Amino acid sequence: MGTLTLSDPPFMSVNPRPKCGSISPKTPIGNSSFYGSWCSSSSLGAVLISQSRRVSLSQRSSRLFKIFSNTTDPKDVFTDTVEEENDSLDESVGLEGDYVSEIKMALARSQARQEVIEKERDRLLEELARSESKQREYEAIIRHEKEVAMSELEAAKAMFNKKLEESLEEKFKLESKLVLAKQDAVELAVQVEKLAEIAFQQAISHIVDDARKRISLAETSAAEAAYHVEEEIRKATEGTVRSILEESHYALNKALASAEQAGHHAEKAVSAISHALDPVDDIAVVQSQNIELQNVVNDLESQLLLKGHETQKLKEDLEQALARMRASEDRAVAAEKALIDFQDLMKKQSQQQEETKLLLEKMKKDISEKRKASTKAFKIELEGIKAAVEAAKEAARLKDEAYARRCESLQRSLKASETALKIWKQRAEMAESYLEQELLLSERDEDVIYTVNGGRIDLLTDDDTQKWKLLSDGPRREIPEWMARRIRTIFPKFPPRKTDVSEALAVKFPSVHLPTADEVWSIAQEKSREGDTLIEHVIEKEIIEKKRKALERALKRKTVQWERTPEHTKLEPGTGTGREIVFQAFNWESWRRKWYLELSPKAADLSHSGITAVWFPPPTESVAPQGYMPSDLYNLNSAYGSEEELKHCIEEMHAQDLLALGDVVLNHRCAQKQSPNGVWNIFGGKLAWGPEAIVCDDPNFQGRGNPSSGDIFHAAPNIDHSQEFVRREIKEWLNWLRNDIGFDGWRLDFVRGFSGSFVKEYIEASNPAFAIGEYWDSLAYEGGNLCYNQDAHRQRIVNWINATGGTSSAFDVTTKGILHSALHNQYWRLIDPQGKPTGVMGWWPSRAVTFLENHDTGSTQGHWPFPREKLAQGYAYILTHPGTPVIFYDHFYDFRLRDIIVELIEARKRAGIHCRSSVKIYHANNDGYVAQIGDTLVMKLGHFEWNPSKENQLEGSWQKFVDKGADYQLWLRQ
């Protein structure tokens, strides 16, 4: 501190009301309080001015020196100084006690006020310190969480890349396994073909069965492996992306909350500091009053100058505090900016994740396409292998037949030889027994030697008797040369025939070996020696037969390849190729069994029977087990089986070139939650709709949508298809069923409940190969009898088809109802006044789907069953007429009509009947019905006599193809 000059103090030039900032935590407030308490009142100032003139300069200097040189608390020194000053004043001036007491009271009040200010200042400093420490903690937490989130993101990214690499490696391994399996199958097929050329039918059947098992095992293992790879990729991708998004979202929320809390604390601290500065304003007021007194208080000039310096220091400290506050605000802004940058980084990472997901989807699609292509090529090769095996089996069968015929001829010749051999053996045994008797009679005759060998005797004697002549010439006949050559090839050491006794005597103990029965058969089965004319002809015939079989196999392979080549036919909405034959593959009770597992093995049988499309039951989770009360549309684990079993069943249908039609219920949907007023109108699952998705005129479910565009189905909430979000999500669901599950088309349930224009939009969005709408309406009756004119009924169905823009066909309920009565000797009902068929078939045949029964009319419900004794006639009508016929499961497998239906399908295909074929009706009366469909088929219903060959209007030659008597008859043009 420098030398103080009491005259002309610099403090006099200071503004009486200085500007005040915030109080620095390092600024001591004892001196300022002394300054304020000293100048607290004007009366006190006046007294001091009047008395200070009487105090000597030396005393004041000593006291000032005591104040500024004392290292103890300035407040205590000031108090002692004031007391000494008061004493000196009392002693020197002789003030009265009242003035002294007032001064002491003023000093006490100023001290009390100073203590309050100090306490408040300490409290504010503690709060400011706490806020700063909390802010630093929050910043550290934010930085730590940011680092943790980034590290977790990097770890998740690394894990994701690792999973992706593992999946790709697994995919390549599976592809290599498929290639190896394919090569094994081809090698096995080659081995089977080679074995088939040299083996018999029994060995071939075992080899073929083994090959089929291996091939099916390879296909099953490949399909399972590909499915597991896709599932692992999908689960890993979805789990990783979901965990990253959840953790990032949690980290962002936590960081934002921390930043908001820190800002709140900072605002609170600033407001507290601003409130704490109010006493400084009071000090400034007191300071202005004290400035006016400085002209007369010379003894306190040095103190006031010191206080000015301290005030300046306080201002500097306040400015530093403000600077720190601004720095804190800058750090808060920086933290906020860092949060924004972190959010941008998370957005970029989410975009990268989306791109990665799209790339994965593309890879999955490519893998699926490659797998399908390899599977298709593999199946084509298997078909070729099967054709080769069948040809080999046929060659082996023909070879077996040739050997069998040859063996039969040899057996006939050998039977004759065996008969002669038996006669010779009998005579030889008789001769042997006779000679033995003679030997016993002449034991002494040493010149006779007999040797018995294997039932034959060798006579060595010089007695030319009748016995020797019998034995030597015996019953043996002259052996033909060709037989002798064959016998010599088998037994080259066969002893020559003995012609006389001298030759027999020349050999000592000779032995004659006769062939056994097995050896005789081996001789018969030996091939004849080449060189004979007959053998040459046989060899030439075998060569020609082999060439013919080779040509047949080549032609068969060409035919199979041509048949498997897809026909380039333009598919039209609602009709497919125009030659579809639909099979309803379930009934009302099918849900009681694992239906998908039972239906899968029937795919090959259905395809071989001529069926082209299979109508599946409703696949979604349903309140009713039959599936027609759906709830969560994306849950395909129903009473018929799981989603995986459904996919397997559809794949089996596709493997047999069959279309899979899904039964979709779009009119209504069962809610999964109740509203606050207890109404079931809140849907769950992925499509979590509310009452706004239900039509407002549904009386039971308090919908808030628009009025219905059709009839109300009262058992469940009716969906408002006029809502744009409903249509969008239904289209997404249909495309999911098409692309992910594998359905090729739709059977639309209860289409009377909403407008056909919505059906058009759904069909155009999902692009099915075939679509059928169930527009069920009552026919016209009068007096309990069916009316002849049903134009109004079929017009309503045609109007609905027209509302769809022709994109969907519809069930021909009109034709079903008319057939109920027409087949009971009322065949006149089958022709309308314009000479066309009645029903939708007569007006719009390409959009008419004809049927006799389904799960509602037949099965265990039996609402409108078709006359059982007329089922054969009914199928004869719909399978030979235009439109798209539907075959019911119960009729095909349970009613023993399979052979009849297959025969009618064969007739339909041979005649080339399709959904637009022409119909010309010749007879339709009580006796029967006759019509020509297309150019090559004529059919008759009823018991009257009729023959197309005798009709003048039918040109050409006609051959009867099916004759069921009074039920129906079919003719095909030659």
Side-chain angles (χ1 to χ4, degrees):
M1 184 177 291
T3 306
L4 295 177
T5 304
L6 297 178
S7 61
D8 299 328
F11 191 80
M12 297 297 292
S13 62
V14 180
N15 193 338
R17 296 182 60 87
K19 295 182 180 178
C20 299
S22 60
I23 298 175
S24 173
K26 297 180 180 180
T27 304
I29 309 195
N31 295 331
S32 62
S33 62
F34 156 72
Y35 177 82
S37 61
W38 179 257
C39 305
S40 60
S41 64
S42 59
S43 60
L44 178 61
V47 172
L48 289 175
I49 291 171
S50 61
Q51 293 180 358
S52 63
R53 294 176 180 178
R54 300 177 183 180
V55 179
S56 64
L57 181 60
S58 61
Q59 291 177 348
R60 288 182 299 189
S61 299
S62 63
R63 284 194 293 271
L64 287 172
F65 180 77
K66 184 178 180 181
I67 291 172
F68 292 110
S69 63
N70 200 334
T71 56
T72 59
D73 191 0
K75 184 178 72 174
D76 299 333
V77 176
F78 174 74
T79 305
D80 297 336
T81 305
V82 170
E83 290 176 356
E84 291 176 2
E85 187 72 18
N86 290 333
D87 294 336
S88 63
L89 287 173
D90 291 336
E91 292 173 359
S92 60
V93 184
L95 293 174
E96 295 180 357
D98 294 335
Y99 292 113
V100 175
S101 63
E102 289 179 359
I103 292 171
K104 289 183 178 181
M105 290 175 63
L107 288 174
R109 285 196 298 272
S110 65
Q111 289 177 358
R113 186 175 180 184
Q114 176 62 26
E115 290 176 357
V116 172
I117 291 173
E118 287 179 351
K119 290 180 181 179
E120 184 67 16
R121 189 258 307 176
D122 294 337
R123 185 181 65 80
L124 292 174
L125 288 174
E126 290 176 358
E127 289 181 357
L128 183 59
R130 284 196 298 270
S131 65
E132 288 181 351
S133 63
K134 286 184 179 179
Q135 185 176 0
R136 287 192 294 271
E137 290 176 359
Y138 293 152
E139 290 175 356
I141 291 171
I142 290 171
R143 286 195 298 271
H144 176 69
E145 289 179 350
K146 181 180 178 181
E147 292 173 357
V148 171
M150 292 299 294
S151 62
E152 290 177 351
L153 283 174
E154 292 295 328
K157 184 178 179 181
M159 185 180 295
F160 176 76
N161 292 330
K162 184 178 178 181
K163 289 288 185 181
L164 182 60
E165 292 175 357
E166 292 176 355
S167 302
L168 291 175
E169 291 177 358
E170 187 68 18
K171 176 181 77 68
F172 293 143
K173 290 180 182 178
L174 290 175
E175 288 180 352
S176 62
K177 288 182 180 179
L178 282 173
V179 172
L180 293 176
K182 179 180 176 182
Q183 292 176 355
D184 293 339
V186 173
E187 292 175 359
L188 180 61
V190 173
Q191 294 176 3
V192 169
E193 186 173 4
K194 290 181 180 178
L195 291 174
E197 292 178 356
I198 60 175
F200 293 96
Q201 185 175 3
Q202 183 177 3
I204 293 174
S205 63
H206 290 296
I207 294 172
V208 170
D209 292 337
D210 185 66
R212 288 176 179 172
K213 290 178 180 179
R214 286 192 180 185
I215 290 167
S216 62
L217 181 61
E219 289 180 345
T220 305
S221 62
E224 289 178 354
Y227 173 76
H228 288 310
V229 168
E230 292 179 357
E231 283 296 317
E232 289 178 359
I233 292 174
R234 182 180 65 80
K235 290 179 180 178
T237 304
E238 292 179 356
T240 304
V241 172
R242 189 180 298 109
S243 62
I244 290 172
L245 290 176
E246 289 177 355
E247 291 173 359
S248 302
H249 184 67
Y250 174 76
L252 285 173
N253 290 336
K254 190 172 181 181
L256 290 173
S258 301
E260 290 177 359
Q261 190 173 3
H264 179 69
H265 284 297
E267 291 175 0
K268 186 176 180 181
V270 171
S271 62
I273 292 171
S274 63
H275 287 299
L277 293 178
D278 292 336
V280 179
D281 295 335
D282 297 334
I283 294 171
V285 174
V286 174
Q287 182 181 0
S288 64
Q289 295 176 358
N290 193 32
I291 290 173
E292 296 176 355
L293 299 174
Q294 285 297 328
N295 294 325
V296 291
V297 185
N298 295 325
D299 55 349
L300 296 178
E301 288 176 353
S302 58
Q303 295 181 10
L304 292 176
L305 181 60
L306 180 61
K307 300 309 176 188
H309 285 292
E310 291 177 351
T311 303
Q312 188 66 26
K313 186 177 180 181
L314 179 61
K315 289 170 64 177
E316 292 175 357
D317 292 338
L318 289 174
E319 289 177 356
Q320 292 178 1
L322 287 173
R324 283 194 295 273
M325 288 297 297
R326 286 193 293 271
S328 300
E329 291 178 356
D330 294 337
R331 287 195 298 271
V333 172
E336 185 177 0
K337 186 177 180 182
L339 285 175
I340 294 172
D341 295 338
F342 182 70
Q343 291 177 354
D344 295 337
L345 180 61
M346 292 303 298
K347 289 180 180 178
K348 291 180 181 179
Q349 290 180 353
S350 63
Q351 291 177 358
Q352 292 178 357
Q353 291 170 3
E354 290 294 332
E355 294 175 357
T356 306
K357 187 176 181 181
L358 292 175
L359 181 61
L360 284 175
E361 292 293 333
K362 186 177 180 181
M363 291 175 61
K364 288 170 63 178
K365 188 175 181 181
D366 294 340
I367 292 170
S368 177
E369 291 177 355
K370 289 180 181 179
R371 183 172 63 82
K372 289 181 180 178
S374 61
T375 304
K376 187 174 181 181
F378 188 56
K379 288 180 179 178
I380 292 173
E381 292 186 4
L382 286 180
E383 291 294 333
I385 293 171
K386 290 179 181 178
V389 171
E390 292 295 330
K393 289 171 65 176
E394 183 67 19
R397 186 183 64 79
L398 294 175
K399 191 180 292 184
D400 291 342
E401 291 179 356
Y403 278 121
R405 290 193 297 269
R406 200 167 177 186
C407 289
E408 288 177 359
S409 62
L410 290 173
Q411 285 177 2
R412 288 193 296 270
S413 62
L414 286 174
K415 283 182 180 179
S417 300
E418 286 179 349
T419 303
L421 181 62
K422 287 179 181 179
I423 296 173
W424 181 86
K425 283 184 177 180
Q426 290 175 0
R427 292 180 180 179
E429 289 173 358
M430 292 173 60
E432 187 177 1
S433 62
Y434 178 75
L435 289 176
E436 287 178 355
Q437 292 176 4
E438 291 292 330
L439 182 62
L440 292 174
L441 294 175
S442 57
E443 292 180 352
R444 297 178 181 180
D445 190 356
E446 297 178 357
D447 296 331
V448 180
I449 301 174
Y450 300 99
T451 301
V452 180
N453 184 9
R456 292 288 304 275
I457 63 170
D458 293 330
L459 177 61
L460 301 178
T461 179
D462 56 352
D463 188 9
D464 191 5
T465 61
Q466 188 67 26
K467 294 182 293 184
W468 165 247
K469 185 177 181 181
L470 175 64
L471 292 175
S472 60
D473 296 334
R476 296 183 64 181
R477 294 176 296 178
E478 189 71 21
I479 299 176
E481 184 63 24
W482 64 270
M483 186 177 291
R485 288 198 304 269
R486 179 176 294 178
I487 293 173
R488 283 197 297 270
T489 57
I490 304 303
F491 291 97
K493 295 182 180 181
F494 195 81
R497 180 184 174 188
K498 301 177 180 60
T499 57
D500 54 14
V501 176
S502 61
E503 184 180 357
L505 293 175
V507 180
K508 186 178 182 179
F509 301 109
S511 177
V512 178
H513 295 280
L514 291 178
T516 63
D518 294 336
E519 292 172 344
V520 170
W521 280 110
S522 66
I523 295 171
Q525 292 176 358
E526 284 290 328
K527 289 186 178 180
S528 300
R529 190 179 64 180
E530 297 181 1
D532 295 341
T533 304
L534 179 62
I535 299 303
E536 290 178 355
H537 284 299
V538 171
I539 294 174
E540 183 179 2
K541 184 177 179 182
E542 289 180 353
I543 293 172
I544 294 173
E545 188 70 16
K546 287 182 179 178
K547 290 182 179 179
R548 185 180 67 83
K549 291 297 181 182
L551 290 174
E552 286 182 355
R553 287 196 299 270
L555 180 61
K556 188 172 184 180
R557 286 196 296 269
K558 292 285 186 181
T559 304
V560 170
Q561 184 178 2
W562 175 78
E563 288 178 351
R564 292 187 62 84
T565 302
E567 183 181 359
H568 296 285
T569 306
K570 182 180 179 182
L571 297 177
E572 293 189 11
T575 62
T577 62
R579 302 179 185 274
E580 307 299 340
I581 298 177
V582 181
F583 179 77
Q584 183 179 359
F586 65 99
N587 56 32
W588 193 251
E589 304 298 330
S590 298
W591 62 273
R592 298 183 183 277
R593 305 191 295 272
K594 291 291 184 181
W595 193 245
Y596 296 144
L597 299 180
E598 290 192 16
L599 186 59
S600 298
K602 293 182 172 62
D605 181 49
L606 296 175
S607 179
H608 295 158
S609 300
I611 290 165
T612 64
V614 178
W615 166 12
F616 278 71
T620 56
E621 178 192 29
S622 173
V623 174
Q626 292 80 12
Y628 290 99
M629 299 287 283
S631 54
D632 185 1
L633 298 184
Y634 278 92
N635 185 358
L636 301 187
N637 296 316
S638 64
Y640 298 99
S642 64
E643 179 177 336
E644 289 74 16
E645 294 170 352
L646 172 61
K647 287 183 178 180
H648 173 69
C649 188
I650 293 175
E651 288 175 357
E652 290 295 320
M653 299 301 166
H654 289 168
Q656 299 296 331
D657 298 328
L658 297 173
L659 297 177
L661 306 182
D663 198 331
V664 293
V665 183
L666 303 180
N667 175 75
H668 51 273
R669 181 184 171 195
C670 292
Q672 293 173 290
K673 296 180 181 178
Q674 290 177 299
S675 63
N677 55 0
V679 178
W680 291 88
N681 57 9
I682 298 177
F683 304 100
K686 187 174 181 179
L687 304 182
W689 300 337
E692 66 278 0
I694 303 174
V695 295
C696 61
D697 50 354
D698 190 340
N700 300 323
F701 299 99
Q702 297 181 4
R704 295 201 299 266
N706 298 318
S708 176
S709 57
D711 297 338
I712 296 295
F713 181 79
H714 295 283
N718 287 247
I719 301 302
D720 181 12
H721 293 270
S722 65
Q723 302 285 352
E724 198 278 332
F725 76 92
V726 171
R727 297 198 307 276
R728 181 183 67 253
E729 294 187 352
I730 286 178
K731 286 184 283 188
E732 291 176 358
W733 176 63
L734 292 175
N735 281 301
W736 175 71
L737 291 178
R738 283 273 283 142
N739 301 327
D740 292 2
I741 306 303
F743 283 112
D744 303 295
W746 317 121
R747 182 264 183 187
L748 304 169
D749 182 70
F750 197 76
V751 295
R752 282 179 55 188
F754 54 101
S755 173
S757 60
F758 299 133
V759 174
K760 178 183 179 182
E761 186 175 350
Y762 296 145
I763 290 178
E764 289 176 348
S766 59
N767 192 26
F770 200 85
I772 313 171
E774 185 205 22
Y775 192 92
W776 196 275
D777 202 357
S778 298
L779 278 73
Y781 290 87
E782 185 177 355
N785 297 321
L786 184 70
C787 296
Y788 168 71
N789 189 346
Q790 297 293 335
D791 289 350
H793 184 269
R794 60 176 170 175
Q795 183 64 57
R796 290 192 290 272
I797 300 176
V798 169
N799 289 341
W800 180 84
I801 300 173
N802 192 46
T804 68
T807 58
S808 174
S809 58
F811 287 109
D812 193 351
V813 184
T814 313
T815 296
K816 170 182 167 58
I818 291 173
L819 282 175
H820 275 250
S821 300
L823 298 182
H824 289 85
N825 298 329
Q826 296 179 10
Y827 300 103
W828 46 269
R829 294 182 179 274
L830 298 177
I831 184 172
D832 66 3
Q834 289 75 34
K836 298 180 180 180
T838 52
V840 181
M841 182 199 304
W843 283 358
W844 204 344
S846 65
R847 302 299 189 269
V849 178
T850 55
F851 71 105
L852 302 182
E853 268 186 6
N854 58 27
H855 57 285
D856 288 322
T857 64
S859 190
T860 55
Q861 291 202 99
H863 292 321
W864 194 22
F866 198 85
R868 188 161 184 174
E869 69 279 4
K870 298 295 181 180
L871 283 172
Q873 277 191 327
Y875 277 115
Y877 182 81
I878 66 172
L879 287 172
T880 58
H881 279 65
T884 302
V886 177
I887 300 167
F888 187 40
Y889 179 90
D890 292 0
H891 299 164
F892 195 77
Y893 284 112
D894 298 337
F895 287 12
R896 298 182 180 179
L897 295 175
R898 182 185 183 281
D899 295 338
I900 293 175
I901 294 172
V902 171
E903 188 178 45
L904 291 170
I905 293 174
E906 179 66 21
R908 182 183 182 91
K909 290 191 173 183
R910 288 196 182 188
I913 304 301
H914 51 83
C915 68
R916 297 177 178 83
S917 295
S918 61
V919 179
K920 187 175 181 181
I921 301 174
Y922 293 107
H923 292 281
N925 50 32
N926 289 331
D927 296 330
Y929 170 86
V930 177
Q932 178 182 350
I933 302 93
D935 297 328
T936 58
L937 186 141
V938 172
M939 66 95 61
K940 176 185 76 72
L941 300 174
H943 51 77
F944 71 102
E945 293 294 332
W946 191 87
N947 193 327
S949 301
K950 299 178 181 180
E951 299 295 327
N952 295 327
Q953 66 270 30
L954 291 174
E955 298 178 356
S957 176
W958 296 85
Q959 182 179 2
K960 185 176 292 185
F961 183 74
V962 179
D963 186 0
K964 297 297 181 181
D967 286 341
Y968 61 90
Q969 293 177 336
L970 304 181
W971 291 268
L972 296 176
R973 187 194 296 273
Q974 295 298 307

